[in-house]
Amino acid sequence: MIQEELFKKIIDDNGQYLTYLHLYFQGEPYLHPKFLDFVSYASQRKVFTATSTNAHFLTEEIVDKTLDSGLKQLIVSMDGITQEIYQEYRIGGKLSKVHAGLSLLIHKRTERKSLYPRIILQFLVTGKNEHQLDGLKDWAKMMKVDELQLKTAQIYDFENGSELIPKNIKYSRYILGKNGKWELKKEIENKCWRMWQGSVITWDGRVVPCCFDKDAQHVMGQIPVEKLKNIWKNTSYQSFRNQLLSDRTQIEICKNCTE
């Protein structure tokens, strides 16, 4: 997990350019003992802070610290409204913990008459939970979350189909082609706004182009060896962007991405 010294260096060096900081990448942020200290450090420098959580660690103490930290946006990932369906995707997860933590956070935020963190309930729609969407919308209203987001699922090796692909094509990234193989619903174009919007910095300071690079295969540079503003303009980054603009199908992580 990222060390405090490295995190503070990133903020100190880039705070004047940084407008949005999402403190999350392939893990549960609340497991880091310094997580809310990091949020506070960035918030004090007028950086908009956001994170994504499974809401299993929202105890009374943690909720109070979250409200004190200045966190502006909290995404709560919940992919089922019954334990049976929820645990299909969130293996080992307890829906009761999500409900308790989220209820506590909303209650305490209301007590403080605060608008933040803004709470987004995010539901990854799959073939196993799409039948719960009507109930989900009612649940979200009852909980008084600020926004409900329905997210399409990224499926690996989707060509041969998967039980995770929703039957309702509205909630799927994929459609069944004429040849019997599944394909991306949206045609991939040689463009990507993400390449000019931001970067991902891993726990050890490696800079990668986006969150689809889950295994950090495309390292553009490393902090603190080099400053982010220099990495952003270096040859590796420019070559990656040029390849994407000319033929993104040659980049593995871009083949299954519709931005």
Side-chain angles (χ1 to χ4, degrees), residues 4 37 41 70 93 118 126 137-138 157 175 194 212 259:
E4 184 174 13
D37 293 334
Y41 193 80
R118 187 168 184 273
T126 71
K137 292 171 184 177
D138 292 337
D157 301 320
I175 56 174
R194 290 180 181 271
F212 261 57
E259 300 179 71

Side-chain angles (χ1 to χ4, degrees), residues 133-171:
L133 288 177
D134 288 339
L136 168 71
K137 292 171 184 177
D138 292 337
W139 193 87
K141 287 180 181 178
M142 179 193 70
M143 293 297 291
K144 298 181 179 178
V145 299
D146 298 301
E147 182 181 346
L148 172 63
Q149 288 183 352
L150 302 179
K151 188 177 180 182
T152 59
Q154 179 197 10
I155 311 295
Y156 294 107
D157 301 320
F158 60 84
E159 291 88 353
N160 294 318
S162 167
E163 59 185 357
L164 293 177
I165 298 178
K167 293 181 177 62
N168 188 335
I169 205 69
K170 177 182 178 182
Y171 302 112

Side-chain angles (χ1 to χ4, degrees), residues 57-72:
F57 302 93
L58 295 177
T59 62
E60 187 160 356
E61 179 185 2
I62 294 299
V63 164
D64 284 334
K65 287 183 177 180
T66 297
L67 292 169
D68 291 338
S69 70
L71 184 69
K72 291 297 187 290

Side-chain angles (χ1 to χ4, degrees), residues 29-30 35 49-53 55 58 66 71-76 102 105 117-121:
Y30 279 95
F35 168 62
T49 51
T51 195
S52 180
T53 180
L58 295 177
T66 297
L71 184 69
K72 291 297 187 290
Q73 181 172 284
L74 182 68
I75 298 171
V76 175
L102 189 52
L105 177 60
R118 187 168 184 273
I119 299 168
I120 298 174
L121 184 66

Side-chain angles (χ1 to χ4, degrees), residues 26 89 124-126 151-158 162 164-166 171-174 184 211-214 252-258:
Q26 308 303 318
Y89 190 80
L124 189 67
V125 183
T126 71
K151 188 177 180 182
T152 59
Q154 179 197 10
I155 311 295
Y156 294 107
D157 301 320
F158 60 84
S162 167
L164 293 177
I165 298 178
Y171 302 112
S172 174
R173 296 187 189 186
Y174 313 97
L184 285 170
C211 61
F212 261 57
D213 194 1
K214 297 177 174 63
E252 190 65 33
I253 63 170
C254 299
K255 289 182 179 179
N256 188 10
C257 174
T258 55

Side-chain angles (χ1 to χ4, degrees), residues 25-235:
F25 183 52
Q26 308 303 318
E28 171 52 50
Y30 279 95
L31 287 175
H32 197 301
K34 291 281 188 177
F35 168 62
L36 291 172
D37 293 334
F38 292 167
V39 173
S40 296
Y41 193 80
S43 295
Q44 289 165 11
R45 283 152 183 77
K46 311 298 183 183
V47 177
F48 184 98
T49 51
T51 195
S52 180
T53 180
N54 60 29
H56 278 55
F57 302 93
L58 295 177
T59 62
E60 187 160 356
E61 179 185 2
I62 294 299
V63 164
D64 284 334
K65 287 183 177 180
T66 297
L67 292 169
D68 291 338
S69 70
L71 184 69
K72 291 297 187 290
Q73 181 172 284
L74 182 68
I75 298 171
V76 175
S77 298
M78 192 190 82
D79 312 307
I81 60 172
T82 61
Q83 178 61 30
E84 179 185 11
I85 297 299
Y86 177 79
Q87 66 189 10
E88 282 277 343
Y89 190 80
R90 300 281 167 181
I91 298 173
K94 300 293 182 184
L95 188 59
S96 58
K97 285 189 174 182
V98 180
H99 186 277
L102 189 52
S103 297
L104 182 62
L105 177 60
I106 293 172
H107 174 71
K108 282 183 170 285
R109 189 187 68 171
T110 302
E111 277 190 335
R112 294 192 184 200
K113 298 181 180 179
S114 176
L115 297 175
Y116 302 107
R118 187 168 184 273
I119 299 168
I120 298 174
L121 184 66
Q122 191 174 85
F123 192 90
L124 189 67
V125 183
T126 71
K128 294 188 175 184
N129 65 19
E130 61 182 320
H131 65 284
Q132 295 191 331
L133 288 177
D134 288 339
L136 168 71
K137 292 171 184 177
D138 292 337
W139 193 87
K141 287 180 181 178
M142 179 193 70
M143 293 297 291
K144 298 181 179 178
V145 299
D146 298 301
E147 182 181 346
L148 172 63
Q149 288 183 352
L150 302 179
K151 188 177 180 182
T152 59
Q154 179 197 10
I155 311 295
Y156 294 107
D157 301 320
F158 60 84
E159 291 88 353
N160 294 318
S162 167
E163 59 185 357
L164 293 177
I165 298 178
K167 293 181 177 62
N168 188 335
I169 205 69
K170 177 182 178 182
Y171 302 112
S172 174
R173 296 187 189 186
Y174 313 97
I175 56 174
L176 192 60
K178 294 180 180 179
N179 61 356
K181 294 286 188 179
W182 288 84
E183 56 192 41
L184 285 170
K185 183 169 65 175
K186 180 182 175 183
E187 183 181 354
I188 291 181
E189 299 180 58
N190 292 324
K191 64 181 183 63
C192 182
W193 59 272
R194 290 180 181 271
M195 291 305 101
W196 289 268
Q197 178 261 355
S199 297
V200 171
I201 301 176
T202 64
W203 66 274
D204 56 355
R206 288 173 291 168
V207 178
V208 297
C210 78
C211 61
F212 261 57
D213 194 1
K214 297 177 174 63
D215 298 318
Q217 296 176 328
H218 301 276
V219 178
M220 302 299 158
Q222 186 158 0
I223 299 170
V225 177
E226 190 176 2
K227 289 189 175 182
L228 181 58
K229 66 178 183 179
N230 295 330
I231 295 172
W232 182 257
K233 298 177 181 179
N234 70 18
T235 302

